[in-house]
Amino acid sequence: MSKVSYYTPEGLKKLRDELQQLKDVERVKASKAIAEARDKGDLSENAEYDAAKEAQGMLEMRISKLEKALAGARIIDESQLDTSKALVLSKVKIKNQTNGMEMTYTLVADGEADLASGKISVNSPIGKGLLGKSVGEVAEIQVPNGVMKFDVIEISR
């Protein structure tokens, strides 16, 4: 059975679009690259052919991974989410107890994580530490060099 992952409608569309691109465009390119390399002669000493076959294998592995993700994908109904706790799609403002730095993150599914835009995975150490917390609670997050403590300041959607 595939693992269930929760996505926003936009995140699920992005996943489907990427899969469609890989199947319709990239597969054709990979096949052409293999055919061109095959036409160049002896396959036993043809590095270009080996590279094209390896690239095709990587492409098929990515397609398989996306298909598994889509099989277990579910859309999150934001209207049913509890706004008093940090859950998937919650925007959480936290304050580092050590240095006083404040950060705001949106908790999202693995496939939608993008640190540059403030979206972190619920499966990341910080995401796991924040899940289920309420405003005023302290999130203790295990990191490689110890435990970091964050005050949960605000939770919104």
Side-chain angles (χ1 to χ4, degrees):
M1 169 126 188
S2 63
K3 185 176 121 183
V4 174
S5 297
Y6 294 94
Y7 292 90
T8 60
E10 301 83 41
L12 191 59
K13 181 183 182 326
K14 184 178 169 187
L15 206 62
R16 286 186 176 134
D17 290 347
E18 181 182 356
L19 180 61
Q20 202 65 41
Q21 168 75 13
L22 292 176
K23 283 182 165 182
D24 295 345
V25 178
E26 300 302 323
R27 255 188 189 158
V28 174
K29 285 182 185 177
S31 294
K32 284 180 183 175
I34 289 171
E36 287 173 13
R38 191 180 311 125
D39 291 342
K40 293 185 180 177
D42 186 10
L43 297 181
S44 64
E45 295 178 12
N46 190 336
E48 191 176 331
Y49 177 78
D50 292 339
K53 287 295 281 183
E54 187 173 329
Q56 182 188 37
M58 298 296 282
L59 174 67
E60 292 302 326
M61 190 170 67
R62 178 70 182 143
I63 288 171
S64 175
K65 186 177 178 185
L66 285 174
E67 286 175 338
K68 283 182 183 174
L70 281 170
R74 304 289 181 267
I75 293 181
I76 299 167
D77 182 1
E78 292 183 59
S79 66
Q80 301 296 316
L81 297 178
D82 181 5
T83 56
S84 66
K85 293 182 180 178
L87 302 169
V88 178
L89 294 186
S90 294
K91 193 174 209 172
V92 184
K93 186 174 184 179
I94 57 175
K95 181 178 180 180
N96 188 325
Q97 287 186 349
T98 307
N99 62 16
M101 189 171 151
E102 290 186 5
M103 297 155 282
T104 302
Y105 294 116
T106 302
L107 301 176
V108 295
D110 286 334
E112 296 183 65
D114 179 17
L115 192 57
S117 62
K119 295 179 178 180
I120 61 170
S121 167
V122 292
N123 293 320
S124 69
I126 293 175
K128 284 180 181 176
L130 293 175
L131 279 178
K133 298 291 185 217
S134 300
V135 173
E137 286 190 74
V138 175
E140 294 185 10
I141 299 167
Q142 183 69 42
V143 293
N145 62 348
V147 175
M148 295 180 74
K149 294 183 179 182
F150 296 96
D151 294 320
V152 179
I153 299 171
E154 183 181 322
I155 298 173
S156 60
R157 293 270 174 245

